[in-house]
Amino acid sequence: MHLKARNMAFGGLLLALTVICMVLGSVIETGTLFLLAAASFFVGIVLREFGRKTGVAFYLAGVLLGGIAAPNKFYVATYGAMGIYILGIEFAWGRLGSWNADIRKKTVVMWVIRYAIFNIIYLPAVLFLQKLLFGSVLSAWATAGILAAGQAGLWLYDGAYRYVQREMWGKMRGRFLNL
């Protein structure tokens, strides 16, 4: 019983940090993507520590509370897309764990899955929501540039997420969870 209460309290603190990051993204405009990425990383922490159902519930709670508290709803949608990406790659990694193959093959498959999940989210947004995102319809060259920049951005975002999970959270988790 005590362990569940501690886990719930820890999840609540992470949810509060998630919403604070979304709200601060509206206040500190130059750090918006950094803060939204940090908020979405909490989804992965909760999913890895407490399981899939809790991770999905945490993600949904973050979107709902962000929708209530954050002044800029576009940032909540961005957090939502980043959180969906984190959920997708974590579910895929869980499925690949039972696959009997060498690590190089798993790594290649995982990168294909990462880019597939990202592009399922990113391509429709850039191609069909240009007026909302950019204020006008972009030229073909500008659209191609935005699409290419997104692919490079994914590489940076995913690298940062893996670093946070492996190095930062890997070293801090024992202090917070006493596991």
Side-chain angles (χ1 to χ4, degrees), residues 115-139:
Y115 274 96
I117 292 170
F118 172 76
N119 284 310
I120 287 170
I121 299 166
Y122 186 67
L123 291 177
V126 170
L127 296 176
F128 301 120
L129 300 175
Q130 287 186 1
K131 281 196 171 197
L132 177 66
L133 295 173
F134 308 112
S136 65
V137 177
L138 300 176
S139 69

